[in-house]
Amino acid sequence: MSAWAATARGLTIAVRATPRGGRDALLAGTGEHFLVRLAAAPVDGAANDALVALVANHFGVPRRDVTLVAGHRARIKRVTVAGDAAALAEIAAALYAAAP
């Protein structure tokens, strides 16, 4: 799977999460996943909640439109973002285009 893929509902993204990463940040990663740094610890789902909030904020959608679909206890996770797939894919591509 590439870092993102359009679906009928919106966009599915793959992320590699680093909890206790000092600050929250969504960064360009490899061709297979985004890199996500989370200040939250992986305790009682706090890091997953922070991930959902970060993705929602970055893609400009409400939190209810972001769902963690795989990797609840793993570093590599899959997240769906509901909305216009083309517009969401442009946001994802812009993140990679802005990477040094």
Side-chain angles (χ1 to χ4, degrees), residues 14-30:
V15 299
R16 183 179 189 279
T18 302
R20 294 187 184 135
R23 63 182 172 87
D24 291 345
L26 179 63
L27 309 165
T30 68

Side-chain angles (χ1 to χ4, degrees), residues 19-20 38-50 72-73 77:
R20 294 187 184 135
L38 302 165
V43 178
D44 296 330
N48 287 338
D49 290 341
H72 290 80
R73 299 179 114 186
K77 302 173 183 291

Side-chain angles (χ1 to χ4, degrees), residues 15-93:
V15 299
R16 183 179 189 279
T18 302
R20 294 187 184 135
R23 63 182 172 87
D24 291 345
L26 179 63
L27 309 165
T30 68
E32 297 177 354
H33 55 71
F34 288 92
L35 296 177
V36 176
R37 294 178 65 186
L38 302 165
V43 178
D44 296 330
N48 287 338
D49 290 341
L51 170 65
V52 168
L54 178 64
V55 170
N57 184 46
H58 185 79
F59 283 92
V61 299
R63 283 186 66 165
R64 69 178 175 270
D65 289 345
V66 178
T67 307
L68 179 61
V69 294
H72 290 80
R73 299 179 114 186
R75 281 195 187 267
I76 303 292
K77 302 173 183 291
R78 275 199 333 251
V79 179
T80 60
V81 183
D84 178 21
L88 295 170
E90 284 182 27
I91 294 168

